[in-house]
Amino acid sequence: MHYKKLKEFRSDFLWGASTSAYQVEGAWNEDGKGLSVMDMGHHPEGLADFKVTSDHYHHYKEDIALLHELGLKAYRFSIAWTRIFPEGTGKVNEKGLEFYRNLIDEILKYGMEPIVTQYHFDLPYALHLKGGWSNRATIDAYAEYVKVLYDNFGDRVKYWLTINEQNMMILHGAALGIVAPGTENIEKEIYQQNHHMLLAQAKAITLYHEMKLPGKIGPAPNITTIYPETCNPDDVIAAMNWTSIRNWLYLDMCVFGRYNSIAWSYLEKRGWTPAIEEGDMAILGHSLAKPDFIAFNYYSTATVAASRNDGSDKAAGADQQIVSGEEGVYRQGENPNLKLTSFGWTVDPQGFRSTLREINDRYNLPLLVTENGLGEYDKLEEGDIVNDDYRINYLREHIEQARLAVTDGVDLLGYCPWSAIDLVSTHQGFGKRYGFIYVNREENDLKDMRRIKKKSFGWYNKVIGSNGTDLE
Ligand code: BG6
């Protein structure tokens, strides 16, 4: 659709930016924090680990002041479960609560809205040792953890996100460092873990609604439009396969309380269906388990083609945004219309519009974009200058498409690019930077950790000031 006049973003639009605890905080073993799977995970040789990261734990006041100067209306961050429950369950660590109390107060002091992710990849290691998400006890540990969050912060935090990118933890656990690389034939177990996470999420949403807290709660998967490589019907079916398995399996359960039938039949054929205990479907389908909005992360689209089914469908090097392929289901396809980032992710602003529309059409709920951005090797020039025009272009094109989606009829609550400040990438170190604020450190040299405003900082400030109308 072409328009003569575009709709405005809502007047209370949440112009934000995002981070996650293990990627930005550092202080990995301070003030009683327990170990998480990310602290104990595998790190690619030569790249930064998660011990110090951007040292936000010690710099949070300076960082929040900068985010206020950036003009943010909202700041999305995650709480480290291991700061609250060092062992995942049991005894609460007061120092951990204190840190987040101070952080939230600091955000509110500047009139910004805190958007809190409950769990962003960093499962407590103590729970991992007891089987992690394979163990049903982790569902109760999660419910116990979120209850503490609601009791302590529920009066002041109005936007809650349950689990960040559950679909990526299930599909690309090895790339994210959650599953040991080289682990094979574990799908049956992984989909059991998925079932348990879905239950944990349903309990967290139900509890939130039962407590009648003055805010909203939703899931935060990574969702994207999947294109067929050609209009050959076989390619179209392959794209539909991957859409159901990658996207709707997760959101259908959260919103409708049922397994997506295409994804379920795929699991059945492979013998990967999870064991469902009596009472599980009642928890998943509980009327209070329905989210108030859908948050999602978007970076790029995927293109797939029909499976060749000759042993060549699975491609190497897959991650959150790079398609893998699976025998008999789909394989990686080419999209000649799209450019790639330096890290091989497609750049597809129009795909952002179509993703927004697809989610809107299917679920008819307000949407919140909780991640979108460009990872690049930024260069610090003389005089503390970072000319990240490529990032400005990327964000500009995506905001333009978001406005078109709003004009199309999507109810969009806000837009929180990744990331507010430079931090450690999931598996590509500190050199892959996303922030509006440069942190002066290298992979293995902490330098002075100075905060430096990039060119995109001033640009985003103007965008926010004009409620998304001035993108120049
Ligand atoms: C998302 C994650 O998958 O993408 C973030 O929620 C992550 O944690 C972001 O950092 C960018 O990915 P990467 O791999 O470049 O860090």
Side-chain angles (χ1 to χ4, degrees), residues 23 120 164-165 299 320 345 371 418 425-426 432 434:
Q23 293 174 279
H120 192 124
N164 181 72
E165 295 196 355
Y299 290 86
Q320 308 101 296
W345 293 6
E371 287 182 33
W418 186 265
S425 144
T426 58
K432 188 184 192 186
Y434 285 89

Side-chain angles (χ1 to χ4, degrees), residues 20 22-23 76 120-121 164-165 168 176 222 297 299 319-321 345 371 375 418 423-428 432 434:
S20 90
Y22 83 94
Q23 293 174 279
R76 176 205 176 208
H120 192 124
F121 301 160
N164 181 72
E165 295 196 355
M168 294 301 112
L176 294 171
N222 177 316
N297 301 342
Y299 290 86
D319 67 8
Q320 308 101 296
Q321 307 306 148
W345 293 6
E371 287 182 33
W418 186 265
L423 38 69
V424 186
S425 144
T426 58
H427 60 295
Q428 287 165 317
K432 188 184 192 186
Y434 285 89

Side-chain angles (χ1 to χ4, degrees), residues 173-402:
L176 294 171
I178 292 165
V179 174
T183 315
E184 299 221 9
N185 297 325
I186 50 169
E187 281 85 352
K188 169 88 183 150
E189 195 51 39
I190 282 202
Y191 281 104
Q192 188 65 50
Q193 295 180 0
N194 184 52
H195 182 68
H196 295 160
M197 271 192 242
L198 291 170
L199 282 163
Q201 170 168 266
K203 285 194 167 192
I205 298 179
T206 300
L207 177 64
Y208 186 75
H209 289 142
E210 278 170 352
M211 288 175 74
K212 296 193 179 357
L213 289 163
K216 299 178 195 309
I217 186 164
N222 177 316
I223 302 294
T224 188
T225 290
I226 317 281
Y227 301 121
E229 186 174 47
T230 71
C231 55
N232 180 326
D234 286 340
D235 288 345
V236 174
I237 293 291
M240 293 172 87
N241 287 342
W242 185 228
T243 304
S244 296
I245 296 164
R246 183 198 190 279
N247 295 337
W248 308 148
L249 168 59
Y250 302 87
L251 282 178
D252 280 7
M253 182 57 87
C254 186
V255 180
F256 303 138
R258 59 169 160 72
Y259 271 104
N260 174 283
S261 56
I262 307 287
W264 186 259
S265 139
Y266 153 85
L267 294 177
E268 259 176 356
K269 292 216 176 59
R270 283 163 172 66
W272 297 341
T273 49
I276 299 181
E277 289 196 1
E278 210 186 316
D280 284 0
M281 292 319 290
I283 294 170
L284 293 163
H286 196 291
S287 59
L288 295 180
K290 186 173 170 167
D292 303 307
F293 62 89
I294 294 173
F296 73 104
N297 301 342
Y298 173 89
Y299 290 86
S300 53
T301 46
T303 301
V304 305
S307 156
R308 289 196 189 98
N309 219 7
D310 62 358
S312 69
D313 283 338
K314 203 168 172 72
D319 67 8
Q320 308 101 296
Q321 307 306 148
I322 298 179
V323 168
S324 160
E326 190 176 337
E327 290 303 302
V329 187
Y330 73 105
R331 71 181 155 86
Q332 201 179 61
E334 290 295 316
N335 192 331
N337 306 297
L338 305 177
K339 290 200 210 101
L340 298 180
T341 70
S342 307
F343 295 84
W345 293 6
T346 59
V347 177
D348 188 0
Q350 281 163 290
F352 187 34
R353 179 183 181 186
S354 62
T355 303
L356 283 157
R357 290 175 55 145
E358 275 190 83
I359 306 173
N360 172 78
D361 278 2
R362 194 172 176 92
Y363 301 108
N364 196 27
L365 281 170
L367 306 184
L368 175 64
V369 177
T370 38
E371 287 182 33
N372 173 236
L374 181 68
E376 250 308 339
Y377 294 108
D378 293 340
K379 225 175 100 219
L380 181 62
E381 296 172 27
E382 226 173 277
D384 274 359
I385 290 171
V386 181
N387 277 313
D388 57 342
D389 292 289
Y390 37 82
R391 180 164 298 110
I392 294 175
N393 290 337
Y394 178 99
L395 296 173
R396 176 192 294 119
E397 289 174 0
H398 284 78
I399 294 171
E400 275 167 6
Q401 293 297 322

Side-chain angles (χ1 to χ4, degrees), residues 19-28 30 33 50-60 75 77-83 99-100 103 122 423-424 449 451:
T19 62
S20 90
Y22 83 94
Q23 293 174 279
V24 79
E25 285 178 3
W28 68 294
E30 286 183 42
K33 178 181 170 297
F50 301 119
K51 293 191 162 66
V52 180
T53 65
S54 310
D55 201 25
H56 175 68
Y57 190 79
H58 297 114
H59 288 250
Y60 79 92
Y75 171 47
F77 62 95
S78 77
I79 291 184
W81 186 339
T82 48
R83 286 201 195 283
F99 172 69
Y100 292 110
L103 178 65
D122 50 355
L423 38 69
V424 186
M449 305 288 265
R451 275 52 179 156

